Amino acid sequence: MIDARLLTTEPDATAAALARRGVDAAALADLRDLDDRRRQLIAEVDQARAQQGGASKAIGQAAPEDRGAMIQAAQELKDVVARREAELAEVLDEHARRFAAVPNLPHPDAPDGVEGDGVVLRTIGPDKPVLDFPPRDHVALLEDADALDLARAGKVSGARFAYLKGEGALLEFALVRYAIDVAMRHGHTPVIPPVLVREEAMYGTGFLPTDEQQIFATRDDDLYLVGTSEVPLAALHMDEVLDPAALPLRYAGYSPCFRREAGAHGKDTRGILRVHQFEKVELFSFVAPEDSDAEHERILGIEEEIFAGLEIHAQVVDIPVGDLGASAARKFDLEAWLPGQDAYREVTSCSNTTDYQARRLKARMRVADGDNVLVHTLNGTALAVQRAIIALVEQHQRADGTVVVPEALVPHLGREVLFAS
RNA sequence: GGAGGGUUGGCAGAGCGGACGAAUGCACCGGUCUUGAAAACCGGCGGGCGCUUCGCGCGUCCCGAGGGUUCGAAUCCCUCACCCUCCGCCA
């Protein structure tokens, strides 16, 4: 949620910033009026309550024989309060609903454009691999090695599910431990979070109500399966006032992620690029507002280190404003080259959500003199297991179907070549 | 799953229809004292929202959450969440 106050204090700058994301000025003017109305009603309710409270208090202090008439008068004041409160409740409801739909203010440095207009900042890792044989995609490589079973997963769970087996399973453990080690070296505390969360956590992180169709819900328990550990990590400090000395708070969560992928029918149907359940190591930081740009670069740096360390060729993309999620002010993706697809595909994504997510979560920071302020939150993929596996096996494959294990992963995997037997 | 007990300020803990945002202790911050420190003493010490001559300030709401009763609720009633104890089950 954006700061409603901005519509009054900085109407032009706010409108200009949001215009880049396609929010029109007239809609913002309506929102500003709604916010004005809210504040006015709050003042009226407060005043009515002050009157009624004073009257009640006087009754307690009055002699018993004087109370009858006073009680009657107070009863009428009570009705006034109730009417004003009902009006306010209605306005608050509309306010919450309509403001929830306003996306975050884009970062001034985020490029213009829509999906596909991303700016490639640089490439990382080795040069784009040139294979002197027809490359096979991850499905062929993994299934031939009995490291992946999609057919039986279809039988058991349906489309977009997978069994990782044998060296496929070992690859996950090794990649996760490798990524966690890098994250820890950069000060992120490893966390295994709950993956079933309450509605408040989904709402606070902005996945509800916006992405409702993407979320798996349980039938009997009012709990939701998280689509990323960003949710439980962000919600960790929900409703807290943090000690500035304790900031930044940095986490690396490892968890399965569940996504319904509604609306993605027919898209990326082959293999494990887009599945309903995958595992991911996610970086998450709570920082003081003035530190969030630097933290964003830092998180991006960790992602680059992880992929470069796996000797995976990838490009860093500055995502245009038209392709940002509602809560992001700026976003960088890492896109790894996939020989099996002859294309760069997203393997990580890191976002600076500034105070947008913190406002809903009520994650604040104590300020020595003055009012407490909202912290900034940032999230980024350290390593999405399935997509990392795809990039790794496709880029490091050899003509005989074996895969060379990058040096950094050897200690974690316990072998230098995969799929050799 | 069954039975019982709880949830009050950073922590401990009183209050159980009217003067209670809430005693007291500890912790913390400032001051006095001291060569310095400790002790002692004095003072301060939550959050949200709104107003504000932005200067201290003023108003309102918050005693797990939501709803109800009442002129008036931390206190009474209902629903929910969480915690603890015992039994059952279980990795």
Side-chain angles (χ1 to χ4, degrees), chain A residues 128-199:
Chain A
K128 188 165 162 179
V130 181
L131 305 178
D132 52 7
F133 55 90
R136 303 208 276 164
D137 78 353
H138 71 280
V139 178
L141 290 162
L142 290 162
E143 283 193 333
D144 279 3
D146 208 19
L148 175 69
D149 190 335
L150 292 165
R152 291 193 178 91
K155 175 182 70 180
V156 175
S157 300
R160 296 197 192 283
F161 283 93
Y163 283 92
L164 280 175
K165 299 162 55 189
E167 289 186 315
L170 293 181
L171 207 40
E172 162 148 351
F173 299 140
L175 284 167
V176 167
R177 186 57 210 252
Y178 161 73
I180 293 266
D181 281 353
V182 176
M184 282 176 71
R185 224 166 28 241
H186 287 279
H188 287 257
T189 303
V191 179
I192 299 190
V195 294
L196 283 166
V197 301
R198 293 232 180 98
E199 189 176 352

Side-chain angles (χ1 to χ4, degrees), chain A residues 2 15 21-22 71 122 139 166 178 184 224 239 245 257 277 343 347 350 356 360 408:
Chain A
I2 66 160
R21 302 194 64 163
I71 287 175
R122 55 185 168 273
V139 178
Y178 161 73
M184 282 176 71
Y224 297 88
D239 265 318
C257 306
Q277 177 194 332
V347 285
C350 63
Y356 189 90
R360 280 200 185 184

Side-chain angles (χ1 to χ4, degrees), chain A residues 138 159-161 214 259 261 264-265 267-278 345 386-387 390:
Chain A
H138 71 280
R160 296 197 192 283
F161 283 93
Q214 289 304 330
R259 300 187 182 180
E261 297 297 348
H265 303 301
K267 204 157 131 190
D268 300 318
T269 50
R270 182 170 165 80
I272 55 175
L273 186 79
R274 189 183 296 275
V275 281
H276 288 307
Q277 177 194 332
F278 59 95
R345 296 302 305 263
Q386 281 69 5
R387 290 195 178 181
I390 295 170

Side-chain angles (χ1 to χ4, degrees), chain A residues 354-374:
Chain A
T354 61
D355 64 6
Y356 189 90
Q357 203 172 47
R359 183 165 291 108
R360 280 200 185 184
L361 288 167
K362 299 190 183 72
R364 305 183 299 278
M365 180 179 93
R366 201 172 304 288
V367 172
D369 289 309
D371 297 330
N372 294 338
V373 299
L374 295 164

